[in-house]
Structures are given as C-alpha cells and as structure tokens.
Amino acid sequence: MTANPIFCAIDTPDLGVATRLAAQIAEHVGGLKLGLEFFCANGPEGIRQIARASGKDIFLDLKLHDIPNTVAAALQSVIPLKPRYLTLHAIGGLAMMKAAREIAYESADKVSAAPPKLIAVTVLTSFDDADLAQIGVNSATADQAHRLAALAAEAGMDGLVCSAHEAKRLKAEFGHMLRIVPGIRPAAGDTHDQKRVMTPAEALAEGADILVIGRPITKAADPYDAARRIAADIGIRAGAAS
Ligand code: C5P
C-alpha cells in the first residue's frame, strides 16, 4: 500500500478539540503535526493522548533552538513520546544539531524506539530580507536558507522544512534529506494567510516527501471528508500509514 504523506497540522490549545479531530481524520492522514500551540497547553500527556486517540505517527514541531546541552536534554524528555519527526532550528548551529542527533539515537535506544527523523528549519517564512538585516544577517533569505540547509546536511539532519517552490532545487542538492512542505492547498480551497501555495499533487511532483496541511482539513465543515478528498486526489487509499 502506498504510504500516506499527509500530516495534518492540529493547531489548537484545546485538548478535547484536538482529540476529536485526530480520531475523526485518522483514516485519511499519514500522521498529525502538533506544535508549540498544542504542546505549551497540553505538554507530553497531551501528545500521548492524541497518539492514543488516532493511532497515527506524530510530528512534534517544537522548533528547538538553545545551547547544545539544553536541546539535548529537551530531546531526552520527548523521545519517550516516540515522535516520528521532530523539528529544530538550523540556526542553532552545527554543535547543537550534532548534539541533538547523538542524544536522539541514545535515548531512542533506551526506550526501544526508532530515533525520530530530525528536521531542520532554515529561515522562517515570516522573515524577509529586511527582517534578516535587522538581526544582523546581511544575506538574502534564499542564500541564508541555502547556507543553513548545507549546515543541517553536515550535521546529519534527516530533513528540511521548505516551501514546495524550493523542493526541487533542494532535492537536486540534498537528495538524501526529506523535504517537509507546508503551504499546501487543494485546488479549489481558500489560501488563508499562505502566500505561495501549491496543490498536494503539484508539491509531490516537485519533490515533497511530507505534506503539512492544516486549515484546509481542520477548518473544513467536514474535516473527515476534506481529508478523504485530499488523500483520494493523490491516490492514497484509506487506512494507509505514513
Ligand atoms: O493551516 P495551514 O495548512 O496553513 O498550516 C500549516 C502548518 O505549517 C502550520 O502549523 C504552520 O505553523 C506550519 N508552517 C508553515 N510555514 C512554514 C513552516 C511551518 O505554515 N514555513
């Protein structure tokens, strides 16, 4: 059975809402992305509850960035949750990313789990060249993103968060790294605040490995049906795992 590349971003602090949604759409998504909004409100127990309710892989989008020792310690605490993917900021540097990789393997081994795929965030899409200049980075966002992607590759990160528009170039250059792509919109859907969107099929054709899709599913009148349609559009059968 073809794997389901859809990870639904469940962006809410409300555990009840998230749990119902997770169970409702589980059949048509490969996994669920839970980020700071959910984690700060509900902590590790909230993650466990969503994993139990859905039976799906968890993408823990914590975008960690601190000194190597602190990031490693944070990872040690979340590895027992057995996330399939976990994000950290490449701007944290080579030593931080390497420390994360080392502890991920060590801690996963202790709980007899596969280590999470470590996914590096390069330049946030909320940043433009002027924002970078303001924090003392005098490069264009594309150059800075490229520099950080190369650093992430050197540190042994498993993947990169990128826009569908960058996926092809990144695949050519860092082919061994996964491309995790947000900003996905079904052909007929509302684009919300995302500016540079692609449909699921287009993003996959560009080289996306994981499609992060939030509001087109979570804010739909019928989230189950929205997830079903998106999966069907890219030829995924109900019940496929990620
Ligand atoms: O609702 P929507 O499909 O726009 O959700 C996209 C998800 O991906 C959100 O959780 C958002 O924080 C995240 N994301 C993004 N753009 C990035 C990185 C992450 O939209 N560059």
Side-chain angles (χ1 to χ4, degrees):
M1 186 185 278
T2 312
N4 188 333
I6 302 166
F7 273 65
C8 182
I10 306 224
D11 293 320
T12 171
D14 188 317
L15 184 57
V17 168
T19 306
R20 280 190 294 279
L21 195 58
Q24 194 183 5
I25 64 175
E27 192 182 341
H28 296 299
V29 297
L32 303 165
K33 183 176 89 77
L34 296 164
L36 282 175
E37 185 175 348
F38 180 85
F39 192 76
C40 290
N42 302 295
E45 194 41 48
I47 304 287
R48 284 190 197 96
Q49 179 161 325
I50 299 297
R52 271 195 307 269
S54 66
K56 304 309 290 190
D57 280 343
I58 299 295
F59 176 167
L60 199 48
D61 187 16
L62 298 181
K63 297 191 175 71
L64 299 173
H65 176 195
D66 210 311
I67 59 171
N69 190 57
T70 299
V71 165
L75 270 175
Q76 234 169 341
S77 291
V78 295
I79 297 281
L81 303 172
K82 303 183 182 173
R84 174 89 182 262
Y85 301 100
L86 194 135
T87 51
L88 68 178
H89 273 285
I91 194 127
L94 196 59
M96 186 202 83
M97 287 189 278
K98 282 186 168 170
R101 186 167 189 276
E102 207 168 296
I103 206 77
Y105 275 81
E106 245 179 67
S107 307
D109 198 41
K110 280 188 197 143
V111 293
S112 305
K117 301 280 183 206
L118 295 177
I119 308 301
V121 176
T122 58
V123 179
L124 291 173
T125 42
S126 53
F127 265 63
D128 62 17
D129 293 356
D131 295 310
L132 281 183
Q134 217 164 42
I135 57 164
V137 178
N138 292 309
S139 305
T141 47
D143 295 339
Q144 175 69 355
H146 183 269
R147 179 180 299 128
L148 290 172
L151 198 65
E154 188 183 339
M157 298 295 94
D158 300 293
L160 296 164
V161 177
C162 66
S163 104
H165 299 267
E166 299 154 357
K168 194 175 264 177
R169 189 175 55 81
L170 288 174
K171 186 171 183 174
E173 205 163 346
F174 307 104
H176 62 292
M177 296 176 91
L178 296 165
R179 288 155 301 279
I180 312 281
V181 175
I184 303 292
R185 290 295 178 266
D190 182 346
T191 58
H192 305 104
D193 55 0
Q194 299 279 14
K195 292 191 180 112
R196 300 168 69 228
V197 299
M198 268 198 206
T199 67
E202 286 167 348
L204 290 174
E206 288 296 307
D209 295 293
I210 297 290
L211 306 173
V212 173
I213 307 179
R215 288 163 293 178
I217 296 173
T218 60
K219 299 292 180 209
D222 181 347
Y224 174 86
D225 196 54
R228 184 191 64 74
R229 281 167 189 271
I230 293 171
D233 270 355
I234 53 171
I236 301 296
R237 299 241 307 273
S242 64

